[in-house]
Amino acid sequence: MAFQNPPTQLQTEPGWVHIFSLALDLPEDRLRALRELLDDEERSRANRFYAAQDRRRFIAAHGQMRQILGRYCCQPPNSLRFDKNAYGKPFLRGIPELRFNLSHSLDRGLLAVSGERELGVDVEACRSLIDQENIARRFFAPGEVKELFSLPPEQQKEAFFACWTRKEAYVKARGKGLSIPLDQFEVSLRPGEKARLIKPAENWSLYSINVGPGFAAALAVEGSIDGLRLWKAPG
């Protein structure tokens, strides 16, 4: 399913999650306009990036997030105020019922939005990792490690990043950060296999998101849903 242009009016739908694809390498004039939407805390975070490209991509991701959430709330993007829970997960001040989660990697970003369910999204560039095996053995559950290294070598990178993004999305959805050890729950990872939470048997759903070659992405959402709307970020 490809990302489509969204409707002019954005509103949440019971049983559906909206996923927006964000382009992060933007022209300078658009970037300047997006920077004006950020609050002081966001600008401070942007300025901490050493590389100018990383700084620009942070501004692009968070500025577009504000534009999209502003349309759901019918408020100016620069008027939105964010708070965080005890583990750092953001929510909209005064509008806690609008659930959202942002992730970005290199020039790709994803924003997930729901009006009723906790959710988390993660996107990662599938780069080659010299220490992929050590990372898997350190952070993955024993069943995931066994499954990963039972695969042919040419499938292991794809499976590694499928596993990683699904685990990150689940942790983000739970809103408790790394207080949830990554090796204490298990997700599916085999190429072609449906994304799902294997252990523990909790009421969460996982979805793989196709964002193009060289990237892996996943969504975790509370309970079962009717489906996903995949939309391009409005220009």
Side-chain angles (χ1 to χ4, degrees):
M1 182 176 177
F3 286 85
Q4 307 291 329
N5 292 322
T8 302
Q9 293 186 332
L10 293 175
Q11 57 185 14
T12 59
E13 304 170 86
W16 289 81
V17 172
H18 299 172
I19 307 286
F20 291 85
S21 173
L22 314 178
L24 303 185
D25 287 345
L26 301 176
E28 286 299 323
D29 57 343
R30 176 120 191 264
L31 204 60
R32 284 194 297 270
L34 290 173
R35 190 178 190 279
E36 291 302 311
L37 303 180
L38 306 184
D39 62 21
D40 291 342
E41 191 268 344
E42 288 167 319
R43 289 174 187 156
S44 176
R45 289 173 63 191
N47 290 336
R48 292 185 203 130
F49 286 98
Y50 177 79
Q53 186 176 59
D54 294 337
R55 189 161 54 248
R56 290 194 296 267
R57 287 171 172 171
F58 178 93
I59 292 168
H62 286 258
Q64 289 179 89
M65 178 182 71
R66 280 180 167 271
Q67 288 184 321
I68 293 167
L69 296 181
R71 289 175 63 173
Y72 280 99
C73 303
C74 298
Q75 294 185 16
N78 61 351
S79 73
L80 301 178
R81 296 294 177 262
F82 298 94
D83 290 316
K84 296 178 180 179
N85 71 8
Y87 299 93
K89 185 175 183 179
F91 59 92
L92 277 169
R93 185 181 303 172
I95 319 174
E97 65 274 12
L98 184 65
R99 316 296 172 82
F100 66 93
N101 197 237
L102 174 69
S103 178
H104 49 95
S105 179
L106 298 182
D107 64 344
R108 309 289 174 89
L110 288 178
L111 175 68
V113 180
S114 169
E116 57 183 1
R117 301 173 188 272
E118 295 294 348
L119 46 70
V121 69
D122 189 60
V123 59
E124 300 287 344
C126 298
R127 57 201 181 280
S128 296
L129 299 173
I130 297 175
D131 53 352
Q132 177 176 294
E133 181 173 349
N134 290 333
I135 293 172
R137 294 190 184 281
R138 179 180 177 187
F139 293 108
F140 290 2
E144 294 166 338
V145 174
K146 181 178 179 180
E147 183 81 349
L148 177 63
F149 294 112
S150 72
L151 295 172
E154 63 272 14
Q155 294 184 5
Q156 288 181 12
K157 184 169 80 168
E158 179 183 352
F160 175 91
F161 281 101
C163 185
W164 187 266
T165 53
R166 292 168 193 178
K167 292 174 86 68
E168 284 287 326
Y170 174 73
V171 168
K172 293 175 74 178
R174 292 289 304 273
K176 295 184 178 180
L178 293 180
S179 67
I180 302 175
L182 292 178
D183 62 355
Q184 296 302 301
F185 64 95
E186 187 175 336
V187 302
S188 62
L189 57 81
R190 184 176 290 270
E193 182 181 7
K194 182 179 178 181
R196 62 190 179 94
L197 180 67
I198 297 173
K199 298 177 183 177
E202 295 180 332
N203 191 28
W204 291 87
S205 300
L206 295 180
Y207 294 87
S208 290
I209 312 291
N210 183 0
V211 295
F215 288 84
L219 169 77
V221 60
E222 184 180 19
S224 59
I225 61 173
D226 295 327
L228 308 177
R229 309 273 191 213
L230 302 183
W231 284 330
K232 301 174 185 177

